[in-house]
Amino acid sequence: ETGVTQTPRHLVMGMTNKKSLKCEQHLGHNAMYWYKQSAKKPLELMFVYNFKEQTENNSVPSRFSPECPNSSHLFLHLHTLQPEDSALYLCASSQGLAETQYFGPGTRLLVL
Amino acid sequence: AQKVTQAQTEISVVEKEDVTLDCVYETRDTTYYLFWYKQPPSGELVFLIRRNSFDEQNEISGRYSWNFQKSTSSFNFTITASQVVDSAVYFCALSNQAGTALIFGKGTTLSVSS
């Protein structure tokens, strides 16, 4: 596999479910990011990790919990979500924090 | 504060027409980076170009060209002889030297019909 991959590509969950989104980058990058893309809003940065350490949390509700076990993998754990959390969740990676970010295909999430 | 404005929400053209997508940015930083990304219906954001604030040279890549003008805080994107495959949402983005976050515009949806 090359580039940035995300699984699953589509996810439907109820408000009481717990699920996780997975992102994996095969580019040898050190920084990874989670973005949220809603229908009527610009892309919003959620979290930033650099060398496995979280460097930014953009005031994201605690029902979203990121995990970065190593520089190649990034997870977003979801718990007790709301319908307004339905969106496209995009993962990205970059060599360093000031470098070009490369995006995965996204996970399209629907919360019922 | 940093901000990116893409005033054109939707543009429709016919194949072979040239089209320019506008991007205006705001930043107080002297060092910053500007980007264009393409998002086809599949959803993945595809990187097109990165330009730093000290490089005002225009760039051409095939049918794509970019015009960076610091005097007007603009970074416009032109597609020459558009094709149906160019149909997508195009995002302009800005980051500062620290590069922790990309600030995206709201995107311009380009529809190219045959």
Side-chain angles (χ1 to χ4, degrees):
Chain A
E1 295 242 37
T2 59
V4 182
T5 58
Q6 291 186 242
T7 55
R9 294 294 309 278
H10 301 271
L11 178 62
V12 180
M13 60 186 289
M15 290 189 286
T16 59
N17 291 158
K18 285 185 182 180
K19 296 287 184 183
S20 295
L21 310 185
K22 178 183 176 182
C23 175
E24 184 173 359
Q25 59 94 2
H26 309 268
L27 301 169
H29 290 167
N30 299 308
M32 297 188 76
Y33 312 76
W34 279 117
Y35 286 85
K36 175 183 178 182
Q37 186 177 27
S38 304
K40 296 182 179 180
K41 292 183 179 180
L43 275 143
E44 302 171 275
L45 178 70
M46 300 176 72
F47 302 103
V48 180
Y49 278 82
N50 192 34
F51 291 99
K52 303 189 301 180
E53 299 297 321
Q54 187 178 123
T55 59
E56 190 153 339
N57 176 337
N58 200 23
S59 302
V60 180
S62 60
R63 57 186 184 270
F64 294 92
S65 174
E67 179 190 0
C68 189
N70 55 61
S71 292
S72 298
H73 294 86
L74 184 64
F75 296 89
L76 188 62
H77 304 299
L78 315 173
H79 176 52
T80 322
L81 294 193
Q82 305 298 311
E84 59 264 29
D85 297 322
S86 298
L88 180 67
Y89 289 86
L90 289 158
C91 173
S93 71
S94 63
Q95 182 62 48
L97 288 178
E99 303 298 322
T100 298
Q101 294 179 27
Y102 294 90
F103 286 78
T107 295
R108 199 165 293 278
L109 173 67
L110 177 61
V111 181
L112 300 175
Chain B
Q2 296 186 310
K3 184 179 177 183
V4 175
T5 301
Q6 294 180 256
Q8 304 149 309
T9 306
E10 295 183 17
I11 301 177
S12 294
V13 299
V14 178
E15 260 192 320
K16 298 184 183 179
E17 281 187 38
D18 298 347
V19 58
T20 295
L21 309 181
D22 298 333
C23 173
V24 174
Y25 63 92
E26 296 176 27
T27 182
R28 293 181 181 178
D29 297 320
T30 54
T31 301
Y32 53 89
Y33 303 91
L34 295 163
F35 302 81
W36 276 95
Y37 285 87
K38 173 182 179 180
Q39 188 175 40
S42 59
E44 181 175 351
L45 278 166
V46 178
F47 166 73
L48 296 178
I49 189 171
R50 164 185 155 124
R51 174 67 79 224
N52 74 52
S53 53
F54 297 108
D55 183 1
E56 284 193 74
Q57 279 193 339
N58 292 331
E59 177 142 348
I60 299 175
S61 176
R63 295 184 297 107
Y64 295 170
S65 62
W66 292 269
N67 184 349
F68 176 31
Q69 291 195 346
K70 287 178 76 170
S71 60
T72 56
S73 297
S74 65
F75 187 44
N76 296 336
F77 173 31
T78 298
I79 301 175
T80 303
S82 59
Q83 299 177 1
V84 173
V85 293
D86 295 327
S87 298
V89 182
Y90 290 86
F91 291 95
C92 181
L94 167 71
S95 75
N96 60 17
Q97 189 174 16
T100 53
L102 278 172
I103 307 300
F104 284 89
K106 292 187 177 180
T108 297
T109 300
L110 174 65
S111 298
V112 183
S113 58
S114 56

